[in-house]
């Protein structure tokens, strides 16, 4: 099966720091892949590279088996790839629907739309529907998201990404700021998204979370993918060992 | 609390709230609260000043005097919502009126032809200043405070250089008559123009994508950028529009005073900014309303005429406005903090209710 998104031999240096060092990555449709590694291992750089936010020194990115050249977030968004950043990137003064549709407002019908008017009703209805589909509790559709809890905001940010991501969604530390119950909810959400056939890439430091939700785990260290595991056959110790280098892994591509 | 409650419980909560939160939103808005203050002030002067104050002619006079500030206020509301500031509007107005007066003087006519050319010239020269401001803020990343402080100085300086500091009295009679005698639907000419600008500005701000992006840029610029909002372009357009409106205001002042007012606009910028902020537009960006700006403009103006009518020295207006300004922002901030606490409390209550089930 062709991975929906695949990176081959990506390299990028920032000055003397080799952030990506001939690194590979792949994710299939309908699969959750966890991308783990210690701080500075190159996870975030990899996400940037795969979402059009990074110039590469060398390497190749394949989308649905075909080489692509990612140049802008808009281009990547048009391909059905979305990223939920750690800081969520919501506008706190706008309400949930305004946030979900920010930058992609539905124009009003006819000449009004041409003049820049928007169909707020439809946007609100669609946003509501996507929250319900995820089971995200958003208590008020009219309050600014800045007045909402971390869990609700997380729900909105994920719902926004899911609403637009038809192919791949990246989640950068989606549970870092959340409590136990909320974390569980986010993991449930991830499974639902995967079951819709979307590829999910989860970046997390939480090994239990990773093992609960991921199908495969790819470990990065010093800018390279050093191992790929099937989540079902692996343990926290094994993952931590690979991340820190305590455990010798020969080559990521064969480890699974 | 939070993410996963079943939709069956989630839905009714929301339905109840949409009705409720509409009222909450209305009463929660600073502009409504400050409207109450304006009403109290009007009632006070109506009682103490009687028919002299509470008459149609007095209010028409007030709106005539406010017309130019309102036009400037529309632009400044947009700018402040992006968490920017424009200190240069008064000087840009002076500059534009000088250029327009020069052109109209050279043309020499007294009719609408000359007047319209003057208007166009004023709008273009104001817009040019606005574009420079916007470009430096958005592209050169110089703080708006500094950029517009610089253009304040340069625009006024150039206006003085061009005129040698002497006002130009070359305003076509058509323009002067428009301000002095013409009424449209019973509204004095300048006030009518201002009303149109305020209504269009309000619709653009609150109903269109351009307005939505204005709020988004002020709320979280990085978030707006990431979803593909062209933030730099948005900022440049907003400053350009503000400059162009200062150009329109310049023509209105020319019509009103039949002369340029080179020395007369030193405090215009601060008066407009004060009105916008009194009206509930947050200096930190992300929130505000056009309606609030209008209310914020009326408070100082009503105070001033009110003081004159009841025989208090009008100098007290400055004192009163300063106090209202600081008090309004203070109350607004405490109210917002309380709203945030309230929201948390509600959530806690909802959470314990949920666990009890």
């Amino acid at each position: 099966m062709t991975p929906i998104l695949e990176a081959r031999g990506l390299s990028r240096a920032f000055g003397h720091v080799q952030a990506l060092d001939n690194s590979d990555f792949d994710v299939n449709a309908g699969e959750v892949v966890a991308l783990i590694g210690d701080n500075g291992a190159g996870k975030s750089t990899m996400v940037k590279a795969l979402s059009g936010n990074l110039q590469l020194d060398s390497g190749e990115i394949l989308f649905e088996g075909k080489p692509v050249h990612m140049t802008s977030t808009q281009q990547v968004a048009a391909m059905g790839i979305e990223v939920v950043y750690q800081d969520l990137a919501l506008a706190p003064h706008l309400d949930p629907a305004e946030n979900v549709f920010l930058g992609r407002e539905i124009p009003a019908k006819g000449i009004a739309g041409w003049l820049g008017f928007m169909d707020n009703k439809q946007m609100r209805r669609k946003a509501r529907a996507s929250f319900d589909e995820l089971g995200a509790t958003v208590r008020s559709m009219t309050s600014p998201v800045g007045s909402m809890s971390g869990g609700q905001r997380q729900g909105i940010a994920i719902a926004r990404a899911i609403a637009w991501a038809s192919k791949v969604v990246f989640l950068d530390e989606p549970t870092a700021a959340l409590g136990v119950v909320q974390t569980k909810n986010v993991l449930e959400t991830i499974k639902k998204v995967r079951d819709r056939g979307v590829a999910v890439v989860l970046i997390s430091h939480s090994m239990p979370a990773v093992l609960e939700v991921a199908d495969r785990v790819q470990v990065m260290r010093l800018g390279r993918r050093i191992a790929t595991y099937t989540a079902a056959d692996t343990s926290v110790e094994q993952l931590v060992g690979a991340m820190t280098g305590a455990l010798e892994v020969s080559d990521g591509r064969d480890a699974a | 609390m939070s993410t996963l409650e079943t939709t069956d419980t989630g839905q009714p909560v929301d339905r109840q709230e949409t009705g409720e939160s509409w009222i909450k939103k209305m009463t929660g808005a600073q502009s409504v609260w400050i409207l109450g203050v304006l009403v109290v002030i009007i009632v006070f002067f109506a009682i103490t000043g009687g028919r002299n104050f509470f008459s149609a002619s007095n209010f028409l006079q007030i709106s005539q005097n406010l017309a130019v500030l309102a036009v400037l206020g529309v632009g400044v509301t947009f700018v402040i919502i992006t968490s920017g500031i424009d200190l240069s509007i008064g000087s840009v107005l002076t500059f534009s009126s000088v250029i327009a007066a020069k052109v109209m003087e050279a043309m020499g006519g007294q009719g609408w032809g000359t007047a319209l050319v003057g208007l166009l010239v004023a709008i273009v020269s104001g817009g040019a200043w606005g574009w420079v401001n916007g470009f430096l803020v958005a592209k050169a990343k110089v703080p708006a405070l500094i950029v517009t402080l610089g253009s304040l100085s340069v625009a006024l300086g150039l206006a003085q250089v061009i005129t040698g500091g002497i006002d130009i009295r070359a305003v076509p009679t058509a323009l002067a008559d428009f301000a002095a005698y013409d009424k449209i639907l019973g509204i004095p000419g300048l006030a009518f123009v201002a009303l149109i600008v305020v209504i269009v500005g309000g619709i653009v701000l609150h109903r269109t994508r351009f307005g939505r992006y204005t709020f988004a840029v002020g709320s979280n610029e990085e978030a707006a950028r990431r979803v593909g909002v062209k933030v730099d372009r948005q900022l440049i357009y907003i400053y350009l529009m503000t400059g162009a409106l200062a150009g329109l205001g310049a023509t209105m002042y020319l019509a009103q005073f039949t002369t340029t007012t080179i020395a007369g606009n030193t405090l215009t910028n601060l008066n407009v900014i004060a009105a916008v902020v009194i009206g509930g537009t947050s200096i930190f960006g992300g929130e505000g309303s056009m309606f609030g700006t209008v209310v914020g403009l009326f408070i100082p103006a009503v105070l001033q005429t009110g003081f004159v009518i009841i025989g208090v020295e009008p100098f007290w207006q400055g004192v009163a406005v300063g106090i209202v300004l600081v008090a309004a922002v203070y109350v607004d901030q405490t109210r917002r903090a309380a709203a945030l606490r309230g929201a948390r409390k509600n959530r806690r209550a909802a959470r314990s209710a949920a666990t009890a089930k």
Side-chain angles (χ1 to χ4, degrees), chain A residues 93 105 116 135 137 139-140 142, chain B residues 3-4 17 21 209 213 219-220:
Chain A
H93 298 90
E105 290 77 7
T137 299
R139 287 176 193 284
S140 165
T142 49
Chain B
T3 331
L4 277 190
E17 213 174 29
S21 70
R209 200 183 301 125
Y213 289 174
S219 182
N220 187 345

Side-chain angles (χ1 to χ4, degrees), chain B residues 62-78:
Chain B
I62 291 175
S63 20
Q64 180 86 335
N65 292 343
L66 279 182
V68 171
L69 294 184
V71 168
L72 299 177
V74 169
V76 172
T77 304
F78 275 86

Side-chain angles (χ1 to χ4, degrees), chain A:
Chain A
M1 169 176 185
T2 324
I4 185 140
L5 187 63
E6 185 178 5
R8 285 187 192 157
L10 301 190
S11 290
R12 171 66 201 259
F14 298 103
H16 294 295
V17 182
Q18 193 70 36
L20 286 179
D21 182 12
N22 195 23
S23 187
D24 300 338
F25 178 81
D26 67 282
V27 61
N28 298 314
E31 174 191 49
V32 179
V33 168
L35 187 58
I36 66 168
D38 211 348
N39 290 331
K43 309 183 295 287
S44 298
T45 318
M46 178 63 86
V47 174
K48 278 187 189 154
L50 294 174
S51 58
N53 284 316
L54 185 79
Q55 291 287 142
L56 289 166
D57 294 337
S58 64
E60 192 183 22
I61 296 170
L62 289 89
F63 180 68
E64 294 178 321
K66 294 183 204 75
V68 284
H69 188 62
M70 293 176 167
T71 49
S72 74
T73 24
Q74 280 92 304
Q75 178 210 354
V76 171
M79 289 157 62
I81 301 175
E82 290 286 325
V83 184
V84 179
Y85 294 95
Q86 209 170 341
D87 60 10
L88 304 182
L90 297 172
H93 298 90
L94 301 187
D95 73 29
E98 289 170 349
N99 265 293
V100 167
F101 283 91
L102 186 60
R104 299 169 198 178
E105 290 77 7
I106 299 175
K109 287 195 177 62
I111 192 145
W114 184 78
L115 286 169
F117 290 90
M118 302 167 288
D119 190 343
N120 286 312
K121 264 197 194 127
Q122 201 190 341
M123 288 195 276
R124 198 158 279 174
R125 204 181 58 238
K126 285 195 170 178
R128 175 84 262 173
S130 60
F131 298 147
D132 288 347
E133 194 184 348
L134 289 184
T137 299
V138 177
R139 287 176 193 284
S140 165
M141 291 300 283
T142 49
S143 303
V145 300
S147 69
M148 297 180 181
S149 67
Q152 289 188 62
R153 272 186 280 183
Q154 185 68 259
I156 293 164
I158 295 177
R160 172 170 70 179
I162 304 310
W164 304 109
S166 48
K167 306 284 180 169
V168 186
V169 61
F170 290 90
L171 299 165
D172 192 354
E173 293 283 2
T175 59
L178 299 184
V180 179
V181 181
Q182 292 150 281
T183 300
K184 193 169 171 298
N185 292 337
V186 168
L187 298 182
E188 290 303 320
T189 302
I190 291 174
K191 288 178 191 164
K192 281 188 198 168
V193 173
R194 171 195 61 196
D195 294 344
R196 281 170 35 179
V198 174
V200 182
V201 181
L202 170 70
I203 294 120
S204 180
H205 278 123
S206 163
M207 292 308 128
V210 162
L211 288 179
E212 186 192 328
V213 75
D215 299 305
R216 286 189 300 147
V217 184
Q218 309 198 13
V219 185
M220 289 191 74
R221 184 151 57 88
L222 303 173
R224 319 185 60 134
R225 179 174 74 178
I226 53 154
T228 302
Y229 297 103
T230 307
D233 317 329
T234 190
S235 66
V236 172
E237 290 74 28
Q238 215 171 350
L239 294 179
V240 172
M243 268 165 68
T244 55
L247 205 75
E248 275 305 319
V249 251
S250 51
D251 178 30
R253 269 161 259 201
D254 308 322

